[in-house]
Amino acid sequence: MNGFVFVDKPEGDSSFLVCAKVRRIFSAKKSGHTGTLDPMATGAMVVALSGATRFIELLPETGKAYRAAFRFGLETDTLDITGNVLSFCDVPVTEKQLSSVLARFRGETMQLPPMYSALKKNGVRLYELARRGEEIQREARRINISQLSLLSYDEEKREGELFVACSAGTYVRSLIADIGEALGTKGVMTALRRTSANGVAVENCRTLEELEALKKADELSRAVVSIPDALCFKRLTVSAKQARRFANGGELFLERINKTVSDETLYSIFSPENEFLGVGVTAFSSGLLKPKKIIGR
């Protein structure tokens, strides 16, 4: 079965494990996802099944949004509540101070990825190095935080919750630690829920238990979004001869397609029988429609 499944990831499972569970439920040959969530995190996760894994990079990249709980006065090696405690800090933080400092982190900024992350260095995950007690130099990366607001804050407990809308690759754990540092204290993330990913709201996601129930009722197809529906590209139907050529990786002459198209634009390509063949990109400079991704390849 090819397509995408929108999953509400449970707490405690790694993203890899969730993919494996979804693959088992659908009896798919392979699966993949569009962005790692830490085991402690929950929320929106887009899982690709079988041939859809080839199209992950073409999904709409609209950034991600989170509700993140935090606590000031505490530092851990993982920057979240699951890590080993490194230090404490008793500096008080008022709601006014916190609200004021948030402005510094909105927009484009540079962020240093944490050691406990899935990023690789010479083929090794950083968290694997961190677990061995190693810390290496990392390069700060450009991120964009389009929205950052305070949802709640208890001054006495120094605990609260943030709403964060940000670009892919943003580490909310690091953001909270950096906010704490800007306030002269320490900060850790205590909970994280991704409320949207790739334009998919968590309200439109299904839990693993709901997917199991659909499987039992023989209605799993209800949970699968087709590749072209998920990609949201304009549809382009070609002739039977052109469909065979495209499906085999061949380029098509635009003048023979006899359809109005735009230059340097991605299209979902269909056969006359309404079979999705893949994604092609137009190039007026060469007069060709070139295969970008093909479903059978």
Side-chain angles (χ1 to χ4, degrees), residues 196-212:
S196 69
N198 299 101
V200 179
V202 71
E203 292 79 11
N204 295 322
C205 297
R206 287 182 166 90
T207 65
L208 294 175
E209 291 76 15
E210 288 171 332
L211 292 177
E212 292 281 11

Side-chain angles (χ1 to χ4, degrees), residues 164-241:
V164 184
C166 54
S167 58
T170 301
Y171 287 91
V172 180
R173 288 177 288 140
S174 296
L175 172 64
I176 290 171
D178 291 343
I179 291 172
E181 184 176 352
L183 290 163
T185 186
K186 305 294 183 180
V188 296
M189 185 175 73
T190 56
L192 183 69
R193 182 160 179 77
R194 189 154 68 190
T195 57
S196 69
N198 299 101
V200 179
V202 71
E203 292 79 11
N204 295 322
C205 297
R206 287 182 166 90
T207 65
L208 294 175
E209 291 76 15
E210 288 171 332
L211 292 177
E212 292 281 11
L214 287 175
K215 181 177 183 178
K216 187 174 182 180
D218 198 23
E219 295 180 346
L220 269 179
S221 59
R222 290 174 48 194
V224 180
V225 178
S226 71
I227 298 172
D229 283 349
L231 297 180
C232 300
F233 297 143
K234 290 183 179 179
R235 177 190 180 109
L236 186 61
T237 301
V238 298
S239 68
K241 184 177 180 179

Side-chain angles (χ1 to χ4, degrees), residues 241-269:
K241 184 177 180 179
Q242 291 168 333
R244 288 192 295 272
R245 179 174 175 79
F246 185 88
N248 288 316
E251 300 170 337
L252 306 180
F253 290 106
L254 290 174
E255 62 182 14
R256 297 180 183 176
I257 292 178
N258 196 30
K259 298 283 175 62
T260 300
V261 296
S262 302
D263 190 22
E264 297 183 357
T265 302
L266 294 172
Y267 288 88
S268 289
I269 311 302

